[in-house]
Amino acid sequence: MAKIKIKKNSGSTDMTAMCDVAFLLLTFFVMTSTAKIPEALPVDTPSSTVETKLPESDLATLTVGKGKVFFDLKGREVRVRTLELMAEKYNVTFTDEDKKMFSLMEGFGVPILNLKQIIEMKSAERVSAGQPGVPMDSLDNQLKDWIYNARVANIEVNDKELQIAIKGDAKEEYPIIRKVMDICQDQKINSFSLVTGLRKEDF
């Protein structure tokens, strides 16, 4: 007796719900993500197998590359207070809008007399502005004053000692790095972090 073959219909899946979920996830990630701000002085850090995370606050970063030094500071209130202290020392005037914009900036590398021009630029313009670096020679050592006033501001605002990190380019000449370290040590800062890139350890 012949078997009766039951005709099978090809199944269909309704993908409407899946598409809705995919678009909701896409919308969520687009709305919550932030664009990476380009670094004012991009450097290629040397590799290291040691992994130690830098603190999220109470940190000043000195970026060294191409013979120049850029200064960056964490914390909006600390940045504003540091700018006020530097303005008093160098007799420069910054408006409240300047202070607000400065608190949102990344690192910078100009003499304080030219800082107002950099503050008024957009992020992309700052990168291509050709900043000469913060002066640190014996006659005009503004880097020393930025570090000192940032430490004072951090104690005033957060009641904590400011941590220092040096982020140097792998190809930077040693005398420039040494000079930055000497400026720190002149202020009795003998403990600071050296920023490196993570390298996988060979087994």
Side-chain angles (χ1 to χ4, degrees):
M1 183 170 136
K3 290 183 180 179
I4 301 171
K5 291 185 178 179
I6 301 171
K7 190 177 180 180
K8 293 182 180 179
N9 294 324
S10 59
S12 61
T13 306
D14 187 4
M15 295 296 292
T16 306
M18 185 66 75
C19 291
D20 288 344
V21 171
F23 278 111
L24 282 172
L25 286 171
L26 180 63
T27 304
F28 171 77
F29 286 120
V30 168
M31 298 294 279
T32 57
S33 64
T34 55
K36 184 182 178 186
I37 300 172
E39 294 181 34
L41 180 63
V43 294
D44 182 20
T45 55
S47 300
S48 171
T49 55
V50 179
E51 186 176 10
T52 305
K53 195 172 181 181
L54 291 171
E56 294 292 327
S57 60
D58 310 314
L59 178 71
T61 305
L62 312 177
T63 305
V64 187
K66 300 175 183 176
K68 301 184 282 191
V69 180
F70 279 50
F71 184 80
D72 192 16
L73 191 59
K74 299 285 185 187
R76 294 182 182 181
E77 291 181 35
V78 178
R79 288 180 71 97
V80 169
R81 183 60 187 140
T82 304
L83 183 64
E84 290 172 348
L85 292 170
M86 287 294 290
E88 289 173 16
K89 178 172 179 59
Y90 286 90
N91 197 24
V92 183
T93 304
F94 293 99
T95 64
D96 290 339
E97 184 62 26
D98 291 336
K99 293 174 186 177
K100 182 182 176 182
M101 293 299 296
F102 180 76
S103 71
L104 302 171
M105 273 176 52
E106 288 292 308
F108 62 92
V110 291
I112 191 165
L113 294 176
N114 304 116
L115 185 57
K116 194 175 179 69
Q117 297 168 2
I118 296 295
I119 291 173
E120 292 170 353
M121 292 180 182
K122 294 179 181 177
S123 297
E125 292 174 339
R126 291 184 194 123
V127 175
S128 59
Q131 300 180 48
V134 178
M136 58 173 186
D137 55 50
S138 57
L139 298 176
D140 186 19
N141 198 339
Q142 292 184 21
L143 181 63
K144 175 184 173 184
D145 293 329
W146 276 110
I147 295 170
Y148 175 79
N149 286 309
R151 295 175 72 198
V152 171
N154 201 68
I155 290 172
E156 287 181 11
V157 175
N158 297 324
D159 197 27
K160 290 181 182 177
E161 185 63 40
L162 186 70
Q163 303 295 313
I164 304 293
I166 299 174
K167 183 179 180 181
D169 192 275
K171 296 178 182 177
E172 187 57 64
E173 294 183 6
Y174 177 72
I176 301 294
I177 303 288
R178 181 72 224 181
K179 192 170 185 179
V180 173
M181 290 181 177
D182 288 342
I183 289 171
C184 292
Q185 289 179 327
D186 286 344
Q187 298 185 43
K188 297 187 169 44
I189 304 171
N190 297 311
S191 176
F192 41 80
S193 303
L194 295 174
V195 181
T196 57
L198 185 62
R199 181 186 69 216
K200 289 184 180 178
E201 198 168 3
D202 297 328
F203 293 102

